[in-house]
Amino acid sequence: MSLKVVKFGGSSLADAQHFRQVAEIIKSDPDRRYVVPSAPGKRFSDDTKVTDLFYTLFELVRSRASSDVIDAHYEKIKERYNSIISELGLNFDLSGEYEYIKNAILHNSGRDFAASRGEYLNGLILAKYIGFDFIDAENVIYFRENGTFDEDKTNDILSLELKEHKYAVIPGFYGIAPNGTIVTFSRGGSDITGSIVARAAEADLYENWTDVSGFLMADPRIISKPQPIDTITYRELRELSYMGATVLHEDAIFPVRYAGIPINIRNTNRPEDKGTMIVSQASSYDSEHVITGVAGKKGFSVITIEKDMMNSEIGFGRKVLECLEDNDISFEHLPSGIDTMSVVVSTAQFEAHKERVLQAITRRTKPDSISIEDGLALVAVVGRGMVKAKGTAARVFSAISNAGVNIRMIDQGSCELNIIVGVEEHDFNTALNAIYNEFVK
Ligand code: ASP
């Protein structure tokens, strides 16, 4: 028998109907033994997530809103849970919990405590509904005094605790600090809890159930009906998520990656779809395509520095990068020529420090010229299949130029997992479409 840890996102637990679907998914496979729920998410597009309702509740208390205003707002939260309970026909009364939580928030239990109650209450209801044990995350997920996650302590205690329960629900998103206060991960952090539980349970698979059938090869807002990705490696995923493809919280990858546990992204509304499998190693041939995905981002600036004989001036690059470091700016890419060096930075980060950085570079490196160009978009073509396929770069570049787009920058990592191309922002969609059509259609 294998063991699966299953995490359900907020949209998968937004109302009673979704609870039913979730219960069916869990019950259809006895290997699905540990369940990590998020708080109820949006039921329709301008609905509010329960987590956000809790953040607002906290703000109302902090800003000393009248008790009528606070109570009216709290009613909305209770109503979300009460309607789930009643529509499921559960005999379950949370009024004691509601009272306790309200008092705790009124008595300075903190913002994270307030936010965490979204998952806590949802976990109680789900455990009751499916008949699983409830393990409060505050007894098994630990943070250090400085607020960082304590993986070793958590893994030791959580793995022992899980052995005591054949089937259990562990709410996502929060844990406890050494001083007894509740701490949450960053937004979307139930993904991280799921991954931590999978590691501690030594699971064979971490299923992450959401409202999409896995990752798509490209952003559907830019490419019409992109194909789904069957299998992606952790490293490819990292490249694509850096470029803005988000389905999974980035930090959710680390606990399972080191334990070698694959993640399967699945769709609660379409359980028949296989979804995307995220693995540490995959053969480059199991994909039909040379590329796994294509993604990109706008909003970059290029600083170009020219100086005769730059190539023989030892320490030139270091001085340039120190000028950025001193201003807390990280660089994204560093394409360089013999006597030129370009640094690609995020415009949003760079903007406020522009003058100081330019002055510092001029003072320290005495260049012949220095210029800045804004409006650069980066496109990343990602694929483990590229290592074996000859001519991939040529295909990328000719597809882009056949579409009439000028390439402003090229960067190919030596790992041959990606090729990054810089184009003008107004050419961004055209470039992405050209690449996608070249490799996929
Ligand atoms: N409920 C939290 C949030 O909305 C955590 C999560 O859903 O993963 O960010």
Side-chain angles (χ1 to χ4, degrees), residues 7 38-39 49 51 119 173 187-191:
K7 179 258 166 178
S38 281
K49 294 180 177 186
T51 307
E119 270 70 10
F173 194 38
R187 294 301 304 264
S190 298
D191 282 344

Side-chain angles (χ1 to χ4, degrees), residues 176-229:
I176 197 160
N179 66 3
T181 55
I182 295 291
V183 179
T184 64
F185 293 107
S186 57
R187 294 301 304 264
S190 298
D191 282 344
I192 308 175
T193 310
S195 180
I196 293 165
V197 173
R199 176 185 169 207
E202 298 179 22
D204 299 284
L205 185 64
Y206 170 27
E207 287 180 346
N208 190 296
W209 291 81
T210 171
D211 54 2
V212 291
S213 296
F215 293 101
L216 298 172
M217 291 189 71
D219 184 339
R221 288 166 301 186
I222 301 174
I223 311 279
S224 119
K225 298 206 174 59
Q227 289 190 15
I229 301 175

Side-chain angles (χ1 to χ4, degrees), residues 353-393:
H353 309 273
K354 206 167 180 167
E355 288 313 317
R356 287 181 52 185
V357 172
L358 288 190
Q359 279 169 15
I361 296 179
T362 309
R363 199 175 55 242
R364 296 196 58 184
T365 67
K366 313 217 164 14
D368 297 335
S369 76
I370 176 163
S371 63
I372 297 174
E373 281 175 277
D374 296 330
L376 185 79
L378 297 180
V379 175
V381 189
V382 176
R384 60 191 181 281
M386 292 184 341
V387 183
K388 296 272 159 54
K390 287 204 183 70
T392 312

Side-chain angles (χ1 to χ4, degrees), residues 338-353:
I338 310 287
D339 288 334
T340 62
M341 173 175 173
S342 299
V343 189
V344 179
V345 291
S346 137
T347 311
Q349 239 188 42
F350 180 51
E351 202 76 320
H353 309 273

Side-chain angles (χ1 to χ4, degrees), residues 47-111:
D47 197 12
T48 309
K49 294 180 177 186
V50 167
T51 307
D52 290 306
L53 292 175
F54 268 114
Y55 279 126
T56 307
L57 179 67
F58 173 79
E59 285 309 324
L60 290 173
V61 170
R62 196 171 61 165
S63 61
R64 298 184 195 283
S66 72
S67 60
D68 285 354
V69 170
I70 293 173
D71 287 346
H73 184 79
Y74 197 29
E75 272 316 306
K76 290 192 215 161
I77 298 179
K78 292 193 230 169
E79 185 40 37
R80 289 291 304 262
Y81 292 109
N82 289 342
S83 66
I84 294 173
I85 293 173
S86 68
E87 282 174 46
L88 292 177
L90 285 177
N91 180 11
F92 196 39
D93 180 11
L94 284 177
S95 44
E97 294 286 349
Y98 295 148
E99 203 45 40
Y100 179 87
I101 291 170
K102 183 178 154 191
N103 278 325
I105 296 176
L106 287 172
H107 293 97
N108 297 327
S109 56
R111 187 171 185 268

